[in-house]
Amino acid sequence: MEELLVLALLLDEDMVTEEAYHKRLDELFLNDAENDDLLYLEWETNIKKAIIYIRTRVDGRVLDEERFERILMSQLKGYYNNGVDIKDFADRMYHVWGNLPGTLQNREPFFTLSYADDPLSWGDEEQTRSIYENLLNDDKN
């Protein structure tokens, strides 16, 4: 469910497409057709309800935090490297941070998503970029 949580968070911020979500969901379901969560999501046609389902199911379960971190940072890095507007990216990162499970919000590297845009408030785009690039290029990710 870690991968689906990442996709749900990014889908909610228009950082991935519904098609990408459905494609990955299909692949996961084909590999584990007995999984009740995947079966439910395969049948759920309302994407907003699917996102809510994923977020509520993961919050109540043990999350493989290292796997979640690797997947999230990889997705964010790919999005960032497509030459996005830094202010738009920063807004989206703050929202992603706000939608993370509470157990992760105050842990690094996730907490960085809550403040990396602070230098933008005094016009320092370079420092904000540096913070994001250090985060996304960390060897662990």
Side-chain angles (χ1 to χ4, degrees), residues 11-12 14 18 44-53:
L11 188 58
D12 210 26
D14 295 323
E18 280 189 47
E44 181 56 69
T45 58
N46 183 314
I47 195 65
K48 292 292 183 190
K49 287 182 180 179
I51 290 170
I52 291 168
Y53 181 85

Side-chain angles (χ1 to χ4, degrees), residues 6-126:
V6 167
L7 290 172
L9 292 169
L10 299 182
L11 188 58
D12 210 26
E13 290 301 316
D14 295 323
M15 296 175 69
V16 297
T17 64
E18 280 189 47
E19 293 78 25
Y21 161 79
H22 285 293
K23 180 180 182 214
R24 188 61 185 136
L25 175 60
D26 291 345
E27 292 168 352
L28 292 170
F29 181 70
L30 288 174
N31 288 329
D32 188 6
E34 300 298 316
N35 184 306
D36 290 338
D37 291 325
L38 297 176
L39 178 62
Y40 173 86
L41 292 167
E42 279 288 320
W43 282 98
E44 181 56 69
T45 58
N46 183 314
I47 195 65
K48 292 292 183 190
K49 287 182 180 179
I51 290 170
I52 291 168
Y53 181 85
I54 293 166
R55 290 180 58 196
T56 57
R57 297 296 285 187
V58 172
D59 281 346
R61 294 182 178 193
V62 176
L63 181 69
D64 183 340
E65 294 176 10
E66 287 181 21
R67 184 169 188 266
F68 176 78
E69 177 184 336
R70 279 191 312 276
I71 295 167
L72 177 63
M73 294 304 159
S74 174
Q75 289 284 328
L76 295 179
K77 184 176 184 177
Y79 187 81
Y80 180 85
N81 287 337
N82 281 330
V84 298
D85 174 78
I86 191 65
K87 291 174 184 161
D88 179 60
F89 185 76
D91 286 343
R92 292 172 194 262
M93 292 306 92
Y94 186 76
H95 289 127
V96 166
W97 171 79
N99 287 318
L100 289 171
T103 57
L104 298 181
Q105 286 182 334
N106 294 323
R107 291 194 43 230
E108 289 298 343
F110 310 109
F111 187 62
T112 299
L113 298 175
S114 73
Y115 68 79
D117 64 337
D118 286 355
L120 290 176
S121 66
W122 59 84
D124 193 347
E125 183 178 312
E126 185 177 326

